[in-house]
Amino acid sequence: MQHKITPKEYNRILEGLQPIIVSLESLSAWVDRENAFEMDTTLSAECKDATFVQGGENVVVIASYRCRVRKGRKVILKIDATYRVEFSSEEPFSDEFFDTYKESSLQLLLWPFFRELVYDITSKMYIPPLVLPFQ
């Protein structure tokens, strides 16, 4: 059984964590232009994966996001983005801390970047700009 981090421990580590830089590592976007203006579609957007690497006082987090728009079973829009976040940290990350961090605080940090990217990319594709929920 995996041990969970206590809220007190989580907050203590979080207080010593400062983002240094957020950068876009990779981006891929595709649209089915023939069906891009369909009204009866479904949207899904999520963080696919997040990992971390500890290196001295710095921690690097890599997080991948995915957005899909479907018409029935057919995908008509794909956007994939991977972000790199470098943090200074007063304490080493633990797996238990990161399991909680990637589900909460990391999403608060990176979701606005992905949300803005999706809006910007879709407008540049010359299709109606897609606005993701605040999450």
Side-chain angles (χ1 to χ4, degrees), residues 28 42-50 62-70 75 77-83 102-103 106-108 110-115 117-118 130-135:
S28 173
T42 57
L43 166 71
S44 64
E46 64 184 344
C47 178
K48 281 187 340 189
D49 187 36
I62 305 292
S64 299
Y65 286 79
R66 169 192 321 200
C67 177
R68 298 290 185 267
V69 176
R70 289 181 169 76
V75 175
L77 174 71
K78 294 180 190 180
I79 300 174
D80 295 304
T82 300
Y83 293 92
K102 72 181 177 184
E103 298 300 324
L106 184 63
Q107 299 312 312
L108 292 173
L110 289 180
W111 186 255
F113 286 93
F114 185 61
R115 190 171 183 266
L117 179 99
V118 168
L130 184 59
V131 179
L132 296 181
F134 285 111
Q135 186 141 2

Side-chain angles (χ1 to χ4, degrees), residues 50-62 84-87 93 98:
T51 59
F52 77 97
V53 177
Q54 186 93 31
E57 291 182 7
N58 289 343
V59 176
V60 174
V61 173
I62 305 292
R84 174 189 176 96
V85 186
E86 294 181 41
F87 295 94
F93 271 33
F98 191 67

Side-chain angles (χ1 to χ4, degrees), residues 7-17 90-91:
K8 185 177 179 179
E9 289 175 286
Y10 180 82
N11 287 331
R12 183 178 46 78
I13 296 170
L14 190 61
E15 285 176 6
L17 189 64
E90 292 178 5
E91 294 192 37

